[in-house]
Amino acid sequence: MLRVAVIGFDGALASAITGIIDLFRLAGVSWARIHSEEPDPRFHTRLLTRDGGPCRCINGMTLMADGRWDTDDPADVIVIPTIGAFIPDVLKRNQALIEWLRQQDSKQTLLASNCTGAFLLAEAGLLDEKQATTHWGFSNQFRQRYPRVYCHPEKLVTVDGNVACAGGGMAWWDLGVYLVERYAGTDVARQLAKAFVIDAGRTSQAPYGALQTKRYHADRTILELQDWLDANYTNPVTLRDLCQQTGLSERSLFRRFRAATGDTPTTYLQLLRIEHVRQRLESSRQAIEDIIHSAGYEDVSSFSRLFKKHTGMAPGAYRARFAR
């Protein structure tokens, strides 16, 4: 069986540990039991801590470990769960783990993280020049701390070489199903998703994101421009308008806006309009075409493609899932 090591540390999110262990240990098992067949477990999964002692999670639960992560017994897959405690404190307390993770990169091991667990991989330098994701709410903090990482907070799962990252919260579902499919095959993964009632078709965490996180910066000029865009996004807006508002050249505007928000001004304007449509889809029964027009778009089909690109769903599907 494939060997999986889930790394425990104080301040971790308990559900991200126990949940993914459940997925691995019941892959090839739950579906068989449902159909009165002989279970065929595919993974040997252990919870490992620095000294083999208990893992004290952020919710007050204490999880008993199966061993130490610095043991000579290697794993094929190493999973870093969500950091539930204050991230800088957890990074400071786990320098030995970070160094150990750095050493695993030279081995034939897949390294995976869920949510803010990506901070530990990035701290070890394992995500430099690679595609990664993390919880959308911590993406700006992540980008500022690790500028060499190509962070895609809209994605639920990223895979680059021997490193896989999952997005926020319960995205360990998606990470677990992906890893089961990678190592045990499509049929086992599909059966596992059905047994656990997991929506295996999810690809984006963008529907759960908040545009407000793009204001977590200190560039006063860009903040003032964001205020102006908030008030004017339903009107036609040109690059010349933005330069006039800030007094910046096009080159300086693009450089500073991206440094502050992680996006270009054009993308940010699109996100404002998408957020407008999202909120209307959630809270009203107004016709979708009328909602799109109220956001400043005349071409409904073009905006629908843009909306799906950023949220992973067409406007109608988004309303069906999130309408209140």
Side-chain angles (χ1 to χ4, degrees):
M1 291 191 290
L2 197 88
R3 298 160 299 177
V4 178
V6 179
I7 305 302
F9 51 86
D10 290 352
L13 190 70
S15 60
I17 295 175
T18 60
I20 204 161
I21 289 176
D22 284 344
L23 285 182
F24 282 125
R25 290 192 174 178
L26 293 175
V29 175
S30 289
W31 188 256
R33 289 174 175 166
I34 290 170
H35 292 84
S36 301
E37 298 172 354
E38 187 67 24
D40 181 21
R42 302 301 185 91
F43 300 91
H44 176 63
T45 309
R46 297 183 301 158
L47 174 60
L48 305 180
T49 59
R50 180 177 184 178
D51 58 3
C55 169
R56 298 171 181 84
C57 298
I58 191 64
N59 65 355
M61 290 182 64
T62 298
L63 303 178
M64 303 304 295
D66 299 302
R68 303 161 56 107
W69 45 251
D70 63 352
T71 179
D72 291 333
D73 181 20
D76 301 294
V77 178
I78 295 172
V79 179
I80 309 299
T82 304
I83 297 174
F86 185 53
I87 293 172
D89 286 350
V90 172
L91 297 178
K92 187 181 299 183
R93 292 197 304 264
N94 286 279
Q95 290 301 307
L97 173 58
I98 291 166
E99 177 57 34
W100 179 78
L101 288 171
R102 189 176 293 121
Q103 296 169 9
Q104 307 315 301
D105 193 38
S106 61
K107 302 177 181 179
Q108 297 299 313
T109 300
L110 186 136
L111 300 159
S113 66
N114 184 67
C115 193
T116 48
F119 279 77
L120 283 161
L121 294 183
E123 196 75 12
L126 301 176
L127 298 179
D128 287 352
E129 313 301 331
K130 289 186 176 181
Q131 311 292 321
T133 190
T134 186
H135 191 292
W136 58 263
F138 293 91
S139 58
N140 277 0
Q141 180 181 337
F142 187 88
R143 281 168 165 156
Q144 290 167 8
R145 188 173 183 117
Y146 310 111
R148 295 181 62 190
V149 181
Y150 304 125
C151 182
H152 298 278
E154 76 282 2
K155 293 187 177 181
L156 267 179
V157 176
T158 60
V159 182
D160 195 334
N162 68 324
V163 180
C165 300
M170 303 297 286
W172 55 260
W173 280 357
D174 306 272
L175 176 66
V177 171
Y178 162 75
L179 293 172
V180 169
E181 181 176 18
R182 176 166 174 160
Y183 291 104
T186 301
D187 288 344
V188 175
R190 186 181 294 115
Q191 293 164 2
L192 181 69
K194 288 180 179 179
F196 275 78
V197 198
I198 295 172
D199 180 3
R202 302 192 309 166
T203 60
S204 173
Q205 63 175 335
Y208 309 94
L211 200 58
Q212 187 64 25
T213 61
K214 296 189 179 297
R215 288 181 170 271
Y216 298 160
H217 61 82
D219 190 322
R220 176 54 54 185
T221 298
I222 300 304
L223 284 169
E224 290 175 355
L225 180 59
Q226 288 175 284
D227 289 339
W228 184 86
L229 284 169
D230 286 349
N232 292 277
Y233 67 85
T234 59
N235 301 319
V237 176
T238 66
L239 185 57
R240 183 177 180 181
D241 295 331
L242 303 183
C243 291
Q244 288 179 342
Q245 287 296 320
T246 59
L248 298 173
S249 67
E250 289 187 16
R251 183 175 180 181
S252 294
L253 173 63
F254 271 82
R255 177 179 57 80
R256 287 178 60 174
F257 202 97
R258 185 181 287 278
T261 70
D263 286 320
T264 67
T266 301
T267 300
Y268 183 80
L269 177 61
Q270 291 175 342
L271 292 175
L272 284 173
R273 290 168 172 166
I274 289 169
E275 184 68 16
H276 170 96
V277 172
R278 281 173 51 177
Q279 291 179 8
R280 293 288 183 89
L281 290 172
E282 292 174 13
S283 62
S284 80
R285 300 308 302 171
Q286 186 180 6
I288 292 176
E289 182 175 337
D290 292 340
I291 292 175
I292 292 173
H293 288 161
S294 73
Y297 271 85
E298 291 300 320
D299 189 336
V300 173
S301 61
S302 175
F303 180 83
S304 296
R305 289 192 296 270
L306 180 67
F307 188 90
K308 186 173 183 179
K309 175 183 176 182
H310 283 276
T311 69
M313 288 179 270
Y318 184 91
R319 167 175 273 173
R321 177 171 292 186
F322 294 105
R324 295 191 293 271

